[in-house]
Amino acid sequence: MPERRPFVRLPTDVYPVNYGLRLKPDLVDFTFEGKLEAAVEVTQGTNQIVMNCADIDIITASFVPDGGEEINATGFNYQNEDEKVTLCFPSTLQKGSGSLKIDFVGELNDKMKGFYRSKYSSSGEVRYAAVTQFEATDARRAFPCWDEPAIKATFDITLIVPKDRVALSNMNVVDRKPYAEDQSLVEVKFATTPIMSTYLVAFVIGEYDFVESQSSDGVTVRVYTPVGKAEQGKFALEVATKTLPFYKDYFSVPYPLPKIDLIAIADFAAGAMENWGLVTYRETALLIDPKNSCASSRQWVALVVGHELAHQWFGNLVTMEWWTHLWLNEGFASWIEYLCVDHCFPEYDIWTQFVSADYTRALDLDALDNSHPIEVDVGHPSEVDEIFDAISYSKGASVIRMLHNYIGDEDFRKGMNAYLLKFQHKNASTEDLWECLEQASGKPIAAVMNSWTKQMGFPIIVVDQEQHGSDRVLKISQKKFCASGPRNDEDCPNWMVPISICTSEDPSCTKTKILLDQPETTVNITNVAPDHWIKINPGTVGFYRIQYSSAMLESLLPGIRDLTLLPVDRLGLQNDLFSLARAGMISTVEVLKVMEAFVNEPNYTVWSDLSCNLGVLSSLLSHTDFHEDIQEFIRDLFTPIGMKLGWDSRTGEGHLDALLRGLVLGKLGKAGHKATLEEARRRFREHVEGKQILSADLRSPVYLTVLKHGDSTTLDTMLKLHKQADMQEEKNRIERVLGAIPAPDLIQRVLNFALSEEVRPQDTVSVIGGVAGSSKQGRKAAWKFVKDNWEELHNRYQGGFLISRLIKLTVDGFAIDKMAAEVKSFFESHHAPAAERTVQQCCENILLNAAWLKRDADDIHQYLLQRKTPPV
Ligand code: BES
Ligand code: ZN
């Protein structure tokens, strides 16, 4: 491995005040010309200026001191590795103000970063838009700049574009005039931005339609869609116009720009990007068609819009001082997006979904030895890319949720408001936020939170009880939770753990609260009848797992069957037990028995989490010869709810019923439930023949079912549907399930399809991932495919976070020791800097899977056999 030179931030002897930037993209040759005229401040005499710059050719550069003579730069020294350039001047630039002028050219690349081209077709013709994605460190690919979040400046942007194209940037247009040198072009000038970080600058040049509205606080909101699809922007427009006043009220700070545009970009690596005033989205994160979009897409759009708009304050107005504090941006936005969606769509019961989507995901990752603290030192761009992960997002959001609960909404808002006012148009660090919240609440916020953000991992809370008369005495202790099971660590870390406790008398109400700041403690709870149960962590808010004594656990389990435990607590309990089983702390058979207690479960999210864990177990058992027995278990568990729901929605049903039906039918179909398979095939046939089009919510489960039990004709039909699909949502829906096809030669066809022109580059990952996640054969084939096509894949994503996602989806499911060694050795010779930690995490997971299989497979097999034979 090459030794990394220590990373150094830019010198501060010259810094920008304003960027005057003119860009002229060529949508045919895929190049652009740029002119920068930056007002800079020289704080110390120097004869060189160091800036960030990558994949750009500087033609000329000069410096004009205010009221002085122009000095031409005599050399441009590119430090490609560091993505920097040093402009050398023949004489000293004196302390004071001046203007830095640089002419440069670059390429509109196809890597979905920097200033890049995005492909679309219009009336059968292939065309390109020019768009930007600068976070984290790619503004330097569009213009030479001081590309660090704390070096803020104002921007005056001018775009020179074909006159029939839409040109957008962060601010509103202030002038539009013909371009003197070419009649077919216009010069579009945008208003000066507020002082801001480079990673939030954006421009888009292309063909789009839009829908427009005003939010109640007077901001013009537009949603830009592909031509002819303006209707599909209406849902996001409604969410955005509701969300802006919600945040204005929550933060007590108005949105500071006159307009905000939300735009769907065809080729887009992330889900969405919060550029100030011009938020870019994948098409599937913004566009909703009333007929052809399913409930989960609607929910996704609402969450993403809520997330990116939150950044307009938290991130854009107040920005992290350095990428070490990225989690503050992403963790906070990933928390408040739920608050916002809960406000706009209470019927989504979105907070319960948070627990399944973010909280448990974060706990799983953070239990690994190869996790990392939320706050982590980063320098080189590849290290920055690496931390856009579930720790920054989901653990970040989870500890903020815990903190919000610990502080209470009123003081939390007070502190947030103080923070935003104090640091608006500036930069802040994690400590700054703690200080404001500490002031507002009078609680020891920094001390509590440092234990969660500066050390990795989380505790398992071990609880036992004794009844003393009418009192219940709890013994509570904490130790680090490790995915591989308990260890006897000498210097075991401690957390400051806010713990709330409830009893069966009122499962939704906290009876006692403590702050556990030592290894163990005793808590006395008065007036608890001996037959009442005690539950730790009601609402599943605290970021920890719980290990109850067997008596306490026994008393809680009936609360699953009779639904007296809250949905979120039924979910949390099941999820804790599942992860304890994986860590070898209880037997997997015990968890299977608990799962059987969920037969009467009505709640979508509880089912969804259970289903996900059963998916993990099913994937593990695909390494055995009794895989079919766990399918039978799944069928038996899901049949009653499937029968109850049926195939067709009834009047009065809502969002969650639609989600639940899709989940259950998909699960039954995949597990080979006969009646479901037959009905899925019948409905699929009618759909394909155009007799009865499948409702959007039934498409995924039906496609999955017919493919899982399908042949080459099924695959052909699906690929045809894919080709015909006009909406990216439908294409993605199909792409994600293609991997379910069982025959090896067809699996190969799906893999080749993943890299074909038919699949957008950002979606290739989910096609390959779908193959790997579907079967034992698929897993092997996908891994081989990734190895065989490594160069192309790596080149396509240039490091980036998509490569990490691809690796995880492809290898995480292996359960044989030697595969961990194989994966490790492959990535030793095929370097992916931004995925280093992911590779280590995957290898750790493979070993954990293998250990789990060795430990529990026989018992699971016995249990699955025994439950089939009726007792005599
Ligand atoms: N700031 C990110 C976009 C981003 C992600 C930039 C990765 C660079 C690298 C944006 O705010 C974001 O978090 N987007 C999420 C969607 C969100 C709803 C979780 C994404 O892209 O997945
Ligand atoms: Zn974000």
Side-chain angles (χ1 to χ4, degrees):
M1 226 176 279
E3 190 71 29
R4 263 182 201 162
R5 270 173 298 143
F7 173 84
V8 252
R9 278 165 73 165
L10 290 169
T12 49
D13 53 354
V14 181
Y15 70 87
V17 176
N18 169 271
Y19 290 86
L21 184 61
R22 285 166 68 84
L23 285 162
K24 185 161 156 278
D26 185 328
L27 299 173
V28 179
D29 288 345
F30 306 140
T31 56
F32 62 89
E33 291 168 19
K35 262 183 193 305
L36 173 66
E37 212 173 309
V40 302
E41 208 54 50
V42 180
T43 60
Q44 208 176 5
T46 175
N47 59 0
Q48 59 178 43
I49 297 179
V50 184
M51 303 168 80
N52 288 116
C53 178
D55 302 335
I56 277 180
D57 284 325
I58 294 177
I59 314 290
T60 61
S62 67
F63 183 83
V64 191
D66 280 3
E69 292 275 306
E70 177 157 4
I71 312 167
N72 287 318
T74 43
F76 323 129
N77 244 327
Y78 297 97
Q79 294 111 262
N80 290 333
E81 272 293 289
D82 294 347
E83 304 183 344
K84 286 176 191 161
V85 65
T86 304
L87 308 176
C88 306
F89 294 91
S91 57
T92 305
L93 317 180
Q94 301 300 336
K95 180 167 166 5
S97 319
S99 170
L100 174 68
K101 297 182 184 179
I102 303 178
D103 285 4
F104 55 95
V105 292
E107 188 206 3
L108 289 176
N109 71 71
D110 62 353
K111 309 289 185 230
M112 299 186 285
K113 61 189 208 178
F115 199 9
Y116 71 94
R117 56 186 194 260
S118 165
K119 191 171 161 183
Y120 64 96
S121 56
S122 173
S123 35
E125 190 185 312
V126 173
R127 297 203 188 148
Y128 293 87
V131 306
T132 56
Q133 168 60 43
F134 289 168
E135 194 179 16
T137 54
D138 293 319
R140 63 193 66 174
R141 287 169 213 282
F143 56 98
C145 57
W146 287 261
D147 200 9
E148 294 185 3
I151 310 185
K152 289 192 175 189
T154 57
F155 287 81
D156 282 290
I157 292 171
T158 302
L159 298 174
I160 296 149
V161 303
K163 60 184 175 196
D164 59 349
R165 299 289 140 117
V166 172
L168 301 170
S169 186
N170 305 82
M171 299 298 288
N172 49 302
V173 174
V174 287
D175 190 24
R176 186 189 156 96
K177 59 183 184 210
Y179 181 60
E181 292 164 37
D182 184 338
Q183 288 300 300
S184 70
L185 303 179
V186 286
E187 206 178 303
V188 184
K189 185 173 173 15
F190 299 90
T192 309
T193 70
I195 184 164
M196 65 188 282
S197 308
T198 46
Y199 80 92
L200 293 167
V201 171
F203 14 93
V204 174
I205 301 101
E207 294 169 286
Y208 299 93
D209 283 344
F210 66 85
V211 284
E212 178 183 313
S213 175
Q214 294 263 321
S215 74
S216 62
D217 51 337
V219 181
T220 302
V221 186
R222 283 184 178 179
V223 175
Y224 282 86
T225 71
V227 172
K229 294 186 176 178
E231 283 292 305
Q232 294 180 13
K234 282 190 168 165
F235 179 76
L237 184 66
E238 191 191 314
V239 177
T241 42
K242 272 193 199 162
T243 296
L244 287 172
F246 172 74
Y247 286 144
K248 177 184 173 183
D249 180 54
Y250 195 87
F251 296 129
S252 307
V253 176
Y255 174 75
L257 309 185
K259 67 94 175 171
I260 187 156
D261 296 323
L262 292 73
I263 186 165
I265 306 291
D267 292 325
F268 197 79
M273 175 65 211
E274 70 266 27
N275 317 300
W276 215 356
L278 176 55
V279 185
T280 44
Y281 295 79
R282 273 194 193 195
E283 290 185 356
T284 48
L286 192 68
L287 305 179
I288 291 296
D289 180 76
K291 268 227 185 68
N292 293 299
S293 291
C294 57
S296 67
S297 297
R298 234 172 270 274
Q299 180 177 306
W300 178 237
V301 168
L303 284 168
V304 181
V305 170
H307 178 107
E308 305 309 337
L309 294 192
H311 279 314
Q312 307 301 307
W313 285 260
F314 209 98
N316 301 6
L317 185 62
V318 178
T319 311
M320 67 255 147
E321 199 281 326
W322 181 246
W323 298 110
T324 298
H325 306 282
L326 169 77
W327 86 274
L328 210 50
N329 253 13
E330 297 304 350
F332 185 83
S334 299
W335 170 75
I336 206 169
E337 67 185 70
Y338 284 84
L339 200 70
C340 165
V341 168
D342 195 41
H343 166 82
C344 297
F345 304 96
E347 71 276 19
Y348 288 4
D349 181 25
I350 202 74
W351 278 116
T352 307
Q353 299 195 52
F354 175 90
V355 175
S356 182
D358 286 278
Y359 171 92
T360 62
R361 194 164 84 104
L363 288 170
D364 284 339
L365 180 60
D366 205 24
L368 299 181
D369 293 341
N370 287 296
S371 182
H372 66 86
I374 281 185
E375 285 184 72
V376 51
D377 276 340
V378 285
H380 193 270
S382 71
E383 295 173 3
V384 178
D385 282 347
E386 194 167 36
I387 57 171
F388 284 85
D389 68 355
I391 295 298
S392 300
Y393 279 76
S394 298
K395 184 181 180 183
S398 300
V399 299
I400 288 172
R401 176 166 167 260
M402 173 167 72
L403 174 67
H404 174 261
N405 187 265
Y406 170 65
I407 295 182
D409 191 58
E410 201 184 318
D411 284 348
F412 186 83
R413 282 172 70 159
K414 230 195 293 170
M416 286 303 308
N417 178 238
Y419 171 81
L420 287 171
L421 288 180
K422 181 167 177 193
F423 295 101
Q424 60 180 329
H425 304 296
K426 300 199 189 82
N427 295 78
S429 67
T430 306
E431 282 70 27
D432 295 325
L433 178 61
W434 298 162
E435 203 178 298
C436 290
L437 291 170
E438 197 154 310
Q439 287 267 324
S441 67
K443 290 181 172 156
I445 305 303
V448 171
M449 292 310 286
N450 284 342
S451 77
W452 297 96
T453 64
K454 290 190 190 294
Q455 62 187 359
M456 71 175 198
F458 59 87
I460 177 161
I461 303 295
V462 183
V463 206
D464 202 353
Q465 65 176 9
E466 272 173 29
Q467 185 79 18
H468 291 185
S470 64
D471 288 2
R472 195 73 65 89
V473 180
L474 299 182
K475 223 181 104 193
I476 299 182
S477 61
Q478 61 163 311
K479 55 186 188 206
K480 185 181 186 313
F481 180 76
C482 299
S484 55
R487 284 184 208 151
N488 290 325
D489 259 348
E490 314 269 88
D491 41 22
C492 180
N494 247 331
W495 284 264
M496 286 181 75
V497 197
I499 294 182
S500 38
I501 300 162
C502 72
T503 73
S504 46
E505 214 162 22
D506 191 348
S508 62
C509 179
T510 294
K511 184 152 173 142
T512 304
K513 258 186 193 179
I514 61 160
L515 184 65
L516 177 68
D517 57 1
Q518 52 209 326
E520 60 177 62
T521 191
T522 338
V523 182
N524 193 15
I525 306 177
T526 52
N527 292 321
V528 186
D531 59 335
H532 281 180
W533 50 250
I534 297 265
K535 164 94 176 61
I536 309 291
N537 202 14
T540 316
V541 186
F543 194 71
Y544 49 82
R545 300 253 182 222
I546 304 168
Q547 185 177 31
Y548 291 104
S549 67
S550 31
M552 288 184 86
L553 183 59
E554 279 306 311
S555 69
L556 279 170
L557 293 181
I560 290 179
R561 214 176 261 278
D562 65 21
L563 309 179
T564 48
L565 273 168
L566 296 180
V568 72
D569 289 332
R570 301 199 289 274
L571 188 164
L573 194 56
Q574 175 270 134
N575 200 286
D576 273 356
L577 293 174
F578 192 77
S579 85
L580 260 54
R582 187 168 186 249
M585 298 163 76
I586 56 170
S587 100
T588 308
V589 169
E590 287 314 305
V591 185
L592 287 175
K593 288 180 188 164
V594 170
M595 285 176 164
E596 285 174 313
F598 282 86
V599 274
N600 299 320
E601 181 59 54
N603 185 286
Y604 160 70
T605 314
V606 178
W607 273 119
S608 165
D609 199 70
L610 186 65
S611 158
C612 187
N613 284 340
L614 276 169
V616 170
L617 194 59
S618 165
S619 160
L620 184 78
L621 297 181
S622 69
H623 289 81
T624 70
D625 56 4
F626 61 95
H627 188 229
E628 173 47 31
D629 297 312
I630 190 76
Q631 303 314 304
E632 188 178 348
F633 180 91
I634 293 172
R635 292 195 296 267
D636 290 349
L637 186 55
F638 280 78
T639 298
I641 180 77
M643 292 299 124
K644 201 167 134 208
L645 290 167
W647 279 80
D648 297 304
S649 60
R650 304 186 187 102
T651 41
E653 280 192 2
H655 180 79
L656 293 168
D657 300 294
L659 291 180
L660 180 58
R661 179 173 290 108
L663 173 78
V664 171
L665 292 178
K667 200 77 180 169
L668 281 170
K670 190 175 177 203
H673 182 257
K674 277 234 168 53
T676 306
L677 173 56
E678 273 163 31
E679 183 63 7
R681 283 188 171 142
R682 191 185 69 75
R683 288 182 183 242
F684 184 64
R685 215 176 309 123
E686 302 223 308
H687 176 71
V688 173
E689 289 166 0
K691 283 189 193 143
Q692 177 79 51
I693 299 301
L694 278 166
S695 74
D697 287 309
L698 284 181
R699 284 184 209 162
S700 279
V702 166
Y703 294 167
L704 171 64
T705 303
V706 298
L707 275 161
K708 180 78 194 171
H709 308 278
D711 54 17
S712 65
T713 321
T714 328
L715 183 58
D716 288 340
T717 312
M718 287 306 313
L719 291 176
K720 203 167 118 202
L721 286 179
H722 182 273
K723 210 178 187 82
Q724 289 166 352
D726 183 42
M727 265 197 109
Q728 197 56 28
E729 176 184 334
E730 176 75 358
K731 286 192 192 282
N732 281 187
R733 191 153 36 228
I734 295 169
E735 287 161 4
R736 279 199 292 260
V737 292
L738 285 177
I741 198 84
D745 57 323
L746 302 180
I747 288 178
Q748 213 48 51
R749 264 181 70 195
V750 172
L751 287 169
N752 293 332
F753 173 76
L755 270 184
S756 73
E757 287 275 307
E758 299 292 316
V759 177
R760 291 210 174 264
Q762 69 266 27
D763 298 322
T764 298
V765 169
S766 56
V767 181
I768 301 175
V771 171
S774 286
S775 64
K776 189 179 174 181
Q777 296 79 2
R779 201 157 45 227
K780 279 192 188 154
W783 171 231
K784 179 164 191 312
F785 187 81
V786 167
K787 286 189 291 182
D788 291 348
N789 293 279
W790 177 253
E791 221 150 285
E792 170 162 7
L793 288 163
H794 191 255
N795 179 40
R796 215 183 233 225
Y797 306 118
Q798 296 282 303
F801 55 92
L802 282 174
I803 208 85
S804 303
R805 217 168 283 173
L806 175 71
I807 294 171
K808 185 169 169 60
L809 288 171
T810 310
V811 304
D812 225 21
F814 283 117
I816 311 169
D817 291 333
K818 78 168 186 356
M819 285 313 297
E822 184 183 322
V823 169
K824 180 166 179 274
S825 106
F826 179 81
F827 288 107
E828 272 162 7
S829 52
H830 299 77
H831 220 195
E836 260 173 39
R837 192 180 282 120
T838 299
V839 170
Q840 289 162 357
Q841 289 163 349
C842 289
C843 292
E844 188 176 348
N845 269 327
I846 296 172
L847 296 176
L848 287 166
N849 288 340
W852 187 15
L853 197 61
K854 275 180 236 161
R855 192 173 58 234
D856 278 6
D858 285 346
D859 288 351
I860 298 173
H861 194 193
Q862 283 314 310
Y863 178 70
L864 294 175
L865 289 176
Q866 160 258 293
R867 62 178 280 285
K868 282 197 269 199
T869 30
V872 267

